[in-house]
Amino acid sequence: MSMFENDQYRWRETYFVLFHSGNRPKLSAVEKALHQLDARYQLANSDANEDGLFDSLTLISPDDFAAIDICYTEGDEVREQVRDLTVELRPMAREAGCEAQLKQMNSCDARFDVLHFEEISESPEDDDDVLDDALDPSALLLVMAELAKLTGGVAVDPQSGTIF
């Protein structure tokens, strides 16, 4: 079940971790790494292929008022997206000194979609300002860094054009 189906959360943004499909980790390795980041993270909806390789999972971080869906994709769709992203990100990557990561992206044929969700307050008088103050991006940043480390990949925020 995706967090899109959970009315206690709303989607905020989607990030990517781009990597070579040969570096796709086993589900057990991803789960272990995420638990080591913070023992309070709750993992759900874990799924692997027949070889035990990661397909998807949901991480819930109650302390951050956040949840994260992580899904694996590979193939032509990813290669096409990487071509588009490298063109789009080139100017900002040069300014930020991220040329090596941009070059590395060219060999990527797989990605993790990292969908960030915020927990919605049950109180009807809460407005967006209160929710924005409650949502903490710490879990997202830690998870992105760990997934990039596990895969030898590059973490990207396509909305802002940022390479982590």
Side-chain angles (χ1 to χ4, degrees):
M1 177 175 130
S2 166
M3 294 309 290
F4 281 114
E5 298 165 5
N6 186 330
D7 59 3
Q8 294 178 341
Y9 290 86
R10 76 171 163 195
W11 173 79
R12 293 295 298 237
E13 59 256 325
T14 300
Y15 296 83
F16 302 122
V17 176
L18 304 165
F19 56 97
H20 188 275
S21 58
N23 294 340
R24 181 180 181 184
K26 291 200 172 276
L27 173 61
S28 58
V30 174
E31 289 176 327
K32 180 180 177 183
L34 295 178
H35 275 300
Q36 287 177 343
L37 287 177
D38 190 326
R40 294 171 294 189
Y41 290 164
Q42 301 166 16
L43 303 182
N45 307 319
S46 297
D47 192 30
N49 72 6
E50 60 279 352
D51 296 322
L53 297 174
F54 182 92
D55 271 336
S56 63
L57 71 71
T58 298
L59 179 146
I60 299 171
S61 179
D63 293 346
D64 297 321
F65 301 95
I68 301 169
D69 277 344
I70 307 167
C71 309
Y72 176 79
T73 303
E74 70 178 15
D76 291 337
E77 173 190 341
V78 176
R79 283 187 285 277
E80 183 177 321
Q81 181 185 39
V82 166
R83 280 192 299 272
D84 294 344
L85 274 173
T86 54
V87 169
E88 189 178 311
L89 298 176
R90 187 168 287 119
M92 290 168 271
R94 285 186 183 135
E95 287 179 26
C98 297
E99 292 93 348
Q101 292 95 327
L102 193 66
K103 184 176 180 182
Q104 179 185 352
M105 284 172 52
N106 286 318
S107 65
C108 296
D109 63 348
R111 76 170 184 247
F112 286 140
D113 295 339
V114 182
L115 294 89
H116 192 213
F117 294 84
E118 73 176 316
E119 186 174 6
I120 299 172
S121 171
E122 294 181 19
S123 176
E125 63 272 2
D126 287 342
D127 62 14
D128 284 343
D129 292 334
V130 172
L131 289 173
D132 287 341
D133 289 341
L135 180 66
D136 183 341
S138 298
L140 173 69
L141 297 173
L142 290 171
V143 167
M144 293 286 292
E146 191 62 29
L147 292 174
K149 182 174 136 186
L150 272 172
T151 60
V154 178
V156 176
D157 175 357
Q159 289 86 10
S160 71
T162 303
I163 299 173
F164 297 94

